[in-house]
Amino acid sequence: EHRAEARSVERLLRPRSVAVVGASRGERSIGSAVLRHLRDGGFMGEVHVVNPHADAVAGVPAYPTLRDVPGEVDLAVVAVPAETVESVVADCAAHGVLGLVVISSGFAETGDEAGRERQRRLVSLARGSGMRVVGPGSFGVLNTDPAVSMNASLSPQLPRPGRVGFFAQAGALGIALLDNVVRRNLGLSTFVSAGNRVDLSGNDLMQYWEEDEATDAVMLYLESLGNPRKFSRI
């Protein structure tokens, strides 16, 4: 179990290709920000854009749906309205995507039944297809390893490489701490913003970090423990 969960997290944090679903020509859109940060951070893998209304975004060719993207896609960053997330996840499943970072909000955190039902369908579809999910409502993920150099997040700057892994359940705190990390020139190995934490948890990340040669210590901000016994064991 430990090895399997560590490997599933590794696929999220060391992808060879990333598709940004929802990047548009508007500079202020969330998807465009993620695309810009991926490129500015010097991501070492392939970057694709999914946008049915554009042929290219910021010089990157755009495809109508994720099913149209050529080749394999390891990670999809989803930044579309909550009502359309389910169809995007279905496309990801059909294309064999390994992991999702869902930045979109409008799920169980809204408190209404429609949001909770959207979240249930998202989890059911992703698990049925073997995809790991970060979010929804995630701030994104980072990996500072020069061989990866991935800033698939809303943070405009990628921290310098360091020996600390960081997992934050609350987006606001994650944003504030990442800003401080960059301002103080501190280093991180990897960062994950959990959002609603429907799948990937602090326990999963700790099992990955235990196997990760780039990480010596971890920093966790948790508002709850889904499995306290497992947390204590790890």
Side-chain angles (χ1 to χ4, degrees):
E1 177 195 13
H2 177 104
R3 289 193 297 271
E5 291 185 2
R7 283 197 299 270
S8 71
V9 175
E10 182 178 25
R11 292 197 295 266
L12 285 168
L13 293 178
R14 304 185 70 87
R16 295 162 298 177
S17 57
V18 175
V20 182
V21 186
S24 68
R25 291 170 176 163
E27 287 289 320
R28 296 186 177 181
S29 76
I30 291 176
S32 297
V34 173
L35 176 63
R36 185 167 59 252
H37 299 162
L38 266 171
R39 301 187 75 194
D40 290 349
F43 177 57
M44 299 301 289
E46 296 182 355
V47 178
H48 306 284
V49 170
V50 175
N51 184 327
H53 307 297
D55 295 327
V57 176
V60 179
Y63 301 91
T65 73
L66 202 138
R67 298 174 191 242
D68 300 309
V69 176
E72 297 180 355
V73 175
D74 292 335
L75 180 68
V77 182
V78 182
V80 298
E83 295 78 11
T84 61
V85 167
E86 185 175 356
S87 64
V88 170
V89 176
D91 288 341
C92 290
H95 197 71
V97 173
L98 301 176
L100 304 172
V101 175
V102 183
I103 295 179
S104 312
S105 57
F107 294 85
E109 80 282 355
T110 62
D112 61 44
E113 183 55 36
R116 289 193 291 268
E117 179 58 28
R118 277 194 291 268
Q119 184 160 299
R120 283 192 290 267
R121 292 199 301 268
L122 164 63
V123 173
S124 176
L125 182 55
R127 286 181 176 168
S129 305
M131 291 184 289
R132 298 306 308 260
V133 181
V134 179
S138 170
F139 181 64
V141 298
L142 306 170
N143 188 338
T144 66
D145 182 343
V148 182
S149 194
M150 177 181 67
N151 182 4
S153 80
L154 299 180
S155 174
Q157 291 180 283
L158 184 68
R160 70 173 180 84
R163 308 293 301 176
V164 178
F166 178 26
F167 177 85
Q169 190 171 343
L173 183 76
I175 293 169
L177 282 173
L178 271 181
D179 180 66
N180 270 277
V181 162
V182 172
R183 190 157 43 85
R184 296 171 184 268
N185 196 32
L186 305 176
L188 294 178
S189 61
T190 42
F191 165 78
V192 173
S193 166
N196 291 6
R197 205 181 60 176
V198 296
D199 177 33
L200 203 74
S201 69
N203 288 346
D204 295 322
L205 264 295
M206 284 196 294
Q207 290 178 108
Y208 167 74
W209 283 321
E210 189 174 345
E211 305 295 328
D212 181 29
E213 294 182 357
T215 303
D216 292 332
V218 301
M219 180 164 57
L220 307 171
Y221 176 74
L222 302 174
E223 295 179 342
S224 62
L225 296 174
N227 188 334
R229 188 181 299 277
K230 185 173 181 179
F231 177 83
S232 299
R233 187 181 79 237
I234 297 169

